[in-house]
Amino acid sequence: MFLNYIKDFATKKIVKNNLSNVKHLASDNLIKTVGIIFDESYFYERESLVQELIQNGINDSDIRVLVYKDKIKKNEVFDYTVFSHKDLSWHATVDKKEVKDFIKEHFDLLINYYDTEKVALLLVSHLSKASFKVGFATVDKRLNHFMIDTNAENYKVFTDELFKYLKILNKI
């Protein structure tokens, strides 16, 4: 327990220091591929949010989902990529191959769908190669290019606001 606290503290410090050096590059690309990072601790409507994206014109094959769970049971089986706090190293990297592949993939849009700061989520979001990142206003402002001020339970409000502003920004 105490070692997890120290690991969280060290990783968070590294991420926060790296965020202060981030230079956001403007991208004029249209959004075709979407990556979503969920925190399943508070939000269980993963499929509903994906369906909202599909209804707004994103192809199902162009959406990749990565889910964070606080605790993963030994015999639990998932139909999507899942990671937890145990997949973090002491050097602010991720050890799980599927998560590394998600981070390396270039997305036109990354949706950081979590409204509480957890070290693992911050790290994966920061390391992602996405060209445009969207998240909640309650998370560190330097992490995302665009922030929506609502809570995670209101996924309809989130997607409505997201697509309203993506149209304004000529991203879709």
Side-chain angles (χ1 to χ4, degrees):
M1 182 71 173
F2 182 70
L3 290 177
N4 283 339
Y5 176 76
I6 293 173
K7 184 164 124 180
D8 278 355
F9 179 78
T11 303
K12 197 169 201 172
K13 185 176 179 183
I14 291 169
V15 170
K16 296 282 183 174
N17 284 341
N18 287 341
L19 282 175
S20 64
N21 298 329
V22 170
K23 292 182 177 94
H24 291 292
L25 301 173
S27 172
D28 294 335
N29 296 341
L30 292 177
I31 292 176
K32 293 180 182 93
T33 58
V34 177
I36 308 171
I37 301 174
F38 283 105
D39 182 2
E40 205 170 77
S41 308
Y42 301 106
F43 183 72
Y44 304 104
E45 304 282 336
R46 177 182 50 84
E47 281 300 319
S48 300
L49 180 66
V50 170
Q51 288 305 316
E52 286 285 324
L53 294 175
I54 293 170
Q55 289 174 1
N56 281 295
I58 305 294
N59 291 331
D60 185 31
S61 61
D62 293 332
I63 300 173
R64 292 258 336 256
V65 175
L66 179 66
V67 177
Y68 173 81
K69 289 187 72 134
D70 287 325
K71 295 188 184 196
I72 300 174
K73 297 176 184 147
K74 274 192 175 189
N75 296 328
E76 207 169 1
V77 178
F78 302 99
D79 58 343
Y80 45 87
T81 307
V82 177
F83 75 108
S84 71
H85 187 269
K86 290 183 179 181
D87 296 317
L88 294 182
S89 73
W90 283 85
H91 305 288
T93 59
V94 182
D95 295 332
K96 195 170 189 177
K97 182 192 179 317
E98 293 88 357
V99 179
K100 285 181 182 179
D101 292 343
F102 185 89
I103 290 170
K104 289 178 186 174
E105 190 167 339
H106 178 78
F107 295 110
D108 297 322
L109 173 67
L110 177 68
I111 299 174
N112 294 315
Y113 205 84
Y114 54 88
D115 57 359
T116 56
E117 288 188 4
K118 293 184 180 175
V119 174
L121 294 166
L122 293 174
L123 179 65
V124 172
S125 297
H126 173 63
L127 294 176
S128 174
K129 304 292 185 229
S131 58
F132 190 69
K133 298 178 184 179
V134 175
F136 290 94
T138 56
V139 180
D140 193 323
K141 311 291 186 244
R142 301 170 293 177
L143 189 64
N144 297 308
H145 298 102
F146 183 73
M147 289 145 298
I148 298 174
D149 191 16
T150 185
N151 57 10
E153 290 80 25
N154 295 330
Y155 70 91
K156 282 230 180 249
V157 172
F158 183 86
T159 54
D160 290 344
E161 291 294 310
L162 173 63
F163 282 98
K164 178 172 82 174
Y165 285 103
L166 287 178
K167 286 177 186 170
I168 291 170
L169 295 171
N170 293 324
K171 295 268 185 198
I172 55 173

